[in-house]
Amino acid sequence: MQPSKHPAGSLKGGNPLLRQYLAYLRVEKGLRPLTCEAYERDLSVFAEYLEGSNGLLMTAGQAQVAGFLEHLQKHGVQSRSVARKLSCLRGFYKWLLLDKQIRHDPTVNLESPSSWKILPKALAQSEVERMMEQAGTAAMHPQADAVALRDRAIVEMLYAGGVRVSELTGLGVEDLSLAEGRMLVRGKGDKERIVPLGRLAVEALESYLTRGRPALTIRPGESRLFLSVRGEGLTRQWIWRLVKQLDARASPHMLRHSCATHMVENGADLRTVQTLLGHSDISTTQVYTHLALGRLKAVHRAHHPRATRGGAK
């Protein structure tokens, strides 16, 4: 059976268990609609797989979950996607276990595919600099318009803070504390975190707030930080296009990964990167482990007295 590429609408409408779990994710966990839809698709694919052997979500065992993961890999599903589906199943069966609907979690002791070894694509520091220079050139002109000032502030924040696009579009003016060089970000599950901003990002925001945003504000009392020429909040798709205009190979998410990659390459520890990116689990940040190990080896070679042949005299 090929992995399904279509959301199982019949499951959504006809499976009370799945409906209960999706309601739990939306109401109690506070997950966003798009995240809930992704969970629904993953659970629907697993439910369809179980139907092939007359199995059910409630009664699935460890052998069936393991068989499902192997089935996905045999059909060319990337390790990262398989790992995401396993993570979805873990959450689902943990919920069933806590709700006392099952007595055993079939995902216990199952190893996740080592997708963290596949480093997300990141731009070189020189490539990021070119993007910033391109956005900055228009914004630094004495007669720069509001859009140029806004665009420069956006790309600076994407890279400086490593924020997600949805986090950026959700920012309000009141979330900024420029005097302290930081902002309040609401991430997945509406979890809040403080994100520091560097000098260049602060300067770009100050220019936008004083010279750019007032020209874009149409409705009095508008609180959203980044506005379109019609005075409305920007969409994720619009910001995606903006980044593509600066570099056709780049994306907002790539700037986020570039932020983390360059921090680790310059000596940041994984816990710091985890906090900055808003990862709830350190295992998500471990994708950058080999970069940290490379830094550790370089420091060891430079400072340990027996790290080189010359030091063993």
Side-chain angles (χ1 to χ4, degrees), residues 119-194:
L119 187 68
K121 291 181 179 179
L123 297 166
Q125 293 187 41
S126 59
E127 293 174 317
V128 174
E129 288 297 331
R130 280 197 296 272
M131 290 181 65
M132 298 302 164
E133 287 176 9
Q134 187 175 341
T137 298
M140 295 297 287
H141 192 278
Q143 297 179 335
D145 62 11
V147 171
L149 294 168
R150 178 201 63 196
D151 292 353
R152 178 196 175 204
I154 287 173
V155 293
E156 285 285 357
M157 289 181 71
L158 285 171
Y159 179 60
V163 293
R164 302 177 179 94
V165 180
S166 58
E167 295 170 344
L168 188 76
T169 57
L171 283 173
V173 176
E174 70 280 1
D175 295 322
L176 299 177
S177 299
L178 297 186
E180 290 79 28
R182 66 188 189 192
M183 61 181 170
L184 178 66
V185 172
R186 293 168 187 83
K188 291 184 177 180
D190 283 333
K191 292 180 181 178
E192 296 182 346
R193 70 182 189 277
I194 300 295

Side-chain angles (χ1 to χ4, degrees), residues 250-263:
S251 71
H253 209 61
M254 192 178 289
L255 283 174
R256 173 174 162 85
H257 286 309
S258 300
C259 166
T261 297
H262 299 163
M263 284 185 64

Side-chain angles (χ1 to χ4, degrees), residues 187-205:
K188 291 184 177 180
D190 283 333
K191 292 180 181 178
E192 296 182 346
R193 70 182 189 277
I194 300 295
V195 175
L197 293 169
R199 177 180 56 83
L200 293 176
V202 169
E203 290 176 357
L205 281 165

Side-chain angles (χ1 to χ4, degrees), residues 14-255:
N15 191 317
L17 186 65
L18 188 54
R19 288 204 306 272
Q20 290 173 30
Y21 183 57
L22 292 172
Y24 163 78
L25 294 177
R26 285 193 300 269
V27 178
E28 296 192 34
K29 298 289 285 184
L31 297 187
R32 299 178 186 275
L34 287 177
T35 304
C36 291
E37 288 175 13
Y39 276 51
E40 179 192 345
R41 285 194 297 271
D42 289 343
L43 286 168
S44 297
V45 170
F46 181 50
E48 290 179 5
Y49 170 81
L50 292 173
E51 285 178 1
S53 57
N54 296 318
L56 299 171
L57 287 172
M58 180 77 81
T59 58
Q62 190 174 76
Q64 288 169 300
V65 177
F68 172 63
L69 300 179
E70 183 179 352
H71 167 78
L72 293 173
Q73 290 177 314
K74 284 183 177 178
H75 284 84
V77 178
Q78 293 185 351
S79 293
R80 195 185 307 280
S81 296
V82 176
R84 190 198 69 222
K85 287 178 171 56
L86 176 56
S87 177
C88 171
L89 294 179
R90 287 193 200 281
F92 176 66
Y93 284 108
K94 181 180 179 181
W95 169 72
L96 287 176
L97 196 64
L98 292 174
D99 204 42
K100 298 182 179 179
Q101 297 192 56
I102 58 174
R103 292 193 296 177
H104 175 69
D105 182 351
T107 66
V108 170
N109 298 326
L110 282 178
E111 291 187 5
S112 178
S114 55
S115 61
W116 62 268
K117 294 180 181 177
I118 305 171
L119 187 68
K121 291 181 179 179
L123 297 166
Q125 293 187 41
S126 59
E127 293 174 317
V128 174
E129 288 297 331
R130 280 197 296 272
M131 290 181 65
M132 298 302 164
E133 287 176 9
Q134 187 175 341
T137 298
M140 295 297 287
H141 192 278
Q143 297 179 335
D145 62 11
V147 171
L149 294 168
R150 178 201 63 196
D151 292 353
R152 178 196 175 204
I154 287 173
V155 293
E156 285 285 357
M157 289 181 71
L158 285 171
Y159 179 60
V163 293
R164 302 177 179 94
V165 180
S166 58
E167 295 170 344
L168 188 76
T169 57
L171 283 173
V173 176
E174 70 280 1
D175 295 322
L176 299 177
S177 299
L178 297 186
E180 290 79 28
R182 66 188 189 192
M183 61 181 170
L184 178 66
V185 172
R186 293 168 187 83
K188 291 184 177 180
D190 283 333
K191 292 180 181 178
E192 296 182 346
R193 70 182 189 277
I194 300 295
V195 175
L197 293 169
R199 177 180 56 83
L200 293 176
V202 169
E203 290 176 357
L205 281 165
E206 288 175 340
S207 296
Y208 167 63
L209 288 173
T210 56
R211 297 162 46 209
R213 190 176 182 279
L216 299 173
T217 304
I218 296 176
R219 289 185 291 272
E222 175 61 66
S223 62
R224 284 172 292 188
L225 177 59
F226 292 114
L227 302 174
S228 69
V229 292
R230 294 188 297 274
E232 301 171 347
L234 296 180
T235 64
R236 292 178 303 163
Q237 292 79 6
W238 192 97
I239 293 177
W240 184 279
R241 287 196 295 270
L242 165 63
V243 173
K244 288 289 184 185
Q245 288 171 3
L246 296 172
D247 188 324
R249 299 183 304 104
S251 71
H253 209 61
M254 192 178 289
L255 283 174

